[in-house]
Amino acid sequence: MSRLPLIQPDAATGKAADLLAGVQKALGVTPNMTKAMVNSPAVLEAYLGFSGALAGGALSAATRERIALLVAEENGCDYCLSAHSYIGANIAELDAAEIEANRHARSADPKAEAVLTFAAAVVRSRGGVAETEVKAARAAGLSDGEIVETIAGVALNVFTNYLNKAVETDIDWPVVRHHQH
């Protein structure tokens, strides 16, 4: 049971109602995470703005999903792991082997693996990456913009992981559990 109310779109008013209607229109569903976030419309608006801005960046949707899978696995967030396993498979068209690999900073795509290697360093060090890790990301072909977007993707997913874990958001996706570390 979620620790905070999940605000249903038909019960929401004002800005909360407008934001949830936008989520429903964009995704075709209103995930429980957004129903939890909208307890503060400012939080849902911030999340949608950050996520939307990154969608216009250099990293592909598939690579952004890969980062989400890795960070959810690292942080033990089953809500996000479930959501991004579903989105990764059904929207980003990642196969099951790739999704499993992504959870462990690996990929069949060398560029994606370079992003995940750097993302893993960022999340594991809480941002305190070594100079050698930045140099390795550049040597693997990441631009400075892609490096910054990888850091931003980690940060966005740390936020959603922490929110969903703290609130114990009810999982409304096919359930995927993190591996015990």
Side-chain angles (χ1 to χ4, degrees):
M1 233 349 238
S2 181
R3 292 176 172 167
L4 291 178
L6 300 178
I7 308 297
Q8 301 304 318
D10 59 2
T13 58
K15 188 169 194 170
D18 294 344
L19 288 165
L20 290 174
V23 169
Q24 175 68 38
K25 184 176 181 198
L27 300 180
V29 294
T30 309
N32 283 344
M33 179 184 79
T34 60
K35 295 174 185 175
M37 283 181 178
V38 86
N39 278 285
S40 168
V43 170
L44 180 55
E45 187 174 34
Y47 166 74
L48 294 171
F50 196 0
S51 181
L54 291 179
L59 297 179
S60 70
T63 297
R64 293 192 313 276
E65 288 306 312
R66 289 174 168 110
I67 293 169
L69 289 160
L70 167 73
V71 175
E73 182 68 35
E74 288 288 322
N75 286 324
C77 182
D78 292 341
Y79 185 93
C80 293
L81 199 54
S82 299
H84 293 288
S85 292
Y86 181 88
I87 295 165
N90 293 285
I91 297 171
E93 299 181 354
L94 301 173
D95 66 32
E98 181 69 7
I99 289 170
E100 181 62 29
N102 296 163
R103 292 169 61 177
H104 306 286
R106 293 188 306 275
S107 176
D109 176 294
K111 177 93 178 247
E113 185 159 318
V115 169
L116 292 173
T117 298
F118 185 69
V122 171
V123 73
R124 290 171 186 162
S125 69
R126 295 186 198 96
V129 296
E131 175 67 21
T132 55
E133 291 163 321
V134 174
K135 286 180 178 173
R138 281 193 182 121
L142 272 63
S143 69
D144 291 345
E146 289 167 327
I147 289 170
V148 171
E149 287 181 34
T150 299
I151 297 165
V154 169
L156 176 64
N157 284 284
V158 166
F159 163 61
T160 60
N161 292 177
Y162 285 10
L163 178 99
N164 287 304
K165 288 178 69 174
V167 173
E168 292 186 354
T169 307
D170 298 324
I171 299 174
D172 50 347
W173 304 92
V175 176
V176 177
R177 300 280 180 206
H178 69 283
H179 301 295
Q180 299 300 321
H181 296 286

